[in-house]
Amino acid sequence: MLNIRKAELNDVDMLLDMKLDIILSSEEIAELDKRELEKIVNYSEEEIRENLEDYKIIEDNDKNVIGIFALFDYDDGKLLDTIYVINSSRKKGIGTKIIKNIILNNYQPIYLWIYKSNKLAVKLYERLNFKIKEETDTRYFMKNENISLINHIKNSIGVGITYGLILS
């Protein structure tokens, strides 16, 4: 079983490390010079601090951190800005469970940006009904319309659901 908690101020360094691991491990970033990399680091830290309430920490039953994600209000839906699972917990379906639960607990479109070089993640998102809406030289902007019958019914009868994940 996994537990989700809100990020706290003392989590900022860990969040930054995980977010930068995603960014700096992409092939597209390898060609940037030191000044550009410093800008990315500074921007990322500032963004985390400004939006800390949108970051969630994923822990196992022993309270060991195994990942993070951030979900922001965006346009007509939500933006999955960051999702990170530590190496030792990858390939166990954790990321898939998190994304599926985000979709089920939000009756609106879900958006995300993904580096093109992250082919495994692109395939995962495509399996979860995300479609490429835009692309840059280095990234795809993807959208899951999130129009399942259950979400439509919940929305139309006004049933509210509090945010929560069921991960077992």
Side-chain angles (χ1 to χ4, degrees):
M1 176 104 164
L2 300 175
N3 302 303
I4 306 298
R5 68 171 174 83
K6 290 184 177 186
E8 300 168 352
L9 196 53
N10 63 346
D11 294 318
V12 169
D13 288 341
M14 176 192 60
L15 291 166
L16 182 60
D17 287 346
M18 291 181 176
K19 186 167 186 147
L20 290 176
D21 190 37
I22 296 167
I23 295 168
L24 299 178
S25 65
S26 69
E27 294 172 8
E28 295 86 353
I29 298 298
E31 299 175 13
L32 295 179
D33 65 28
K34 185 178 178 181
R35 280 185 42 200
E36 289 300 313
L37 291 173
E38 286 175 2
K39 285 181 187 176
I40 290 171
V41 170
N42 291 335
Y43 170 79
S44 295
E45 182 174 6
E46 182 178 312
E47 183 273 325
I48 289 168
R49 288 184 185 282
E50 287 178 5
N51 299 291
L52 190 60
E53 69 278 359
D54 295 314
Y55 280 84
K56 305 291 184 270
I57 308 296
I58 308 158
E59 297 176 333
D60 64 16
N61 284 334
D62 296 324
K63 302 251 184 231
N64 297 311
V65 174
I66 59 170
I68 62 168
F69 68 95
L71 195 63
F72 301 109
D73 289 332
Y74 177 82
D75 196 32
D76 62 338
K78 296 285 186 179
L79 177 68
L80 180 57
D81 179 66
T82 302
I83 183 165
Y84 181 89
V85 177
I86 63 170
N87 285 336
S88 62
S89 294
R90 292 182 186 163
K91 306 256 188 218
K92 296 180 181 179
I94 294 168
T96 302
K97 286 179 185 178
I98 292 167
I99 296 165
K100 283 181 177 180
N101 275 280
I102 288 169
I103 292 167
L104 288 174
N105 284 293
N106 292 279
Y107 5 98
Q108 54 199 342
I110 308 294
Y111 300 90
L112 59 84
W113 284 98
I114 184 72
Y115 285 102
K116 291 178 177 181
S117 63
N118 193 344
K119 295 182 187 335
L120 287 175
V122 171
K123 286 183 187 223
L124 168 65
Y125 296 133
E126 288 174 338
R127 278 196 320 270
L128 295 173
N129 296 318
F130 283 84
K131 307 285 186 237
I132 297 170
K133 294 297 178 187
E134 296 176 28
E135 68 180 277
T136 66
D137 291 342
T138 59
R139 298 191 299 166
Y140 295 122
F141 184 65
M142 301 180 83
K143 179 181 183 182
N144 178 306
E145 294 288 346
N146 198 11
I147 53 173
S148 70
L149 180 58
I150 245 177
N151 286 340
H152 176 71
I153 291 168
K154 287 177 186 173
N155 223 9
S156 64
I157 62 174
V159 174
I161 293 184
T162 58
Y163 184 79
L165 295 178
I166 302 167
L167 301 171
S168 53

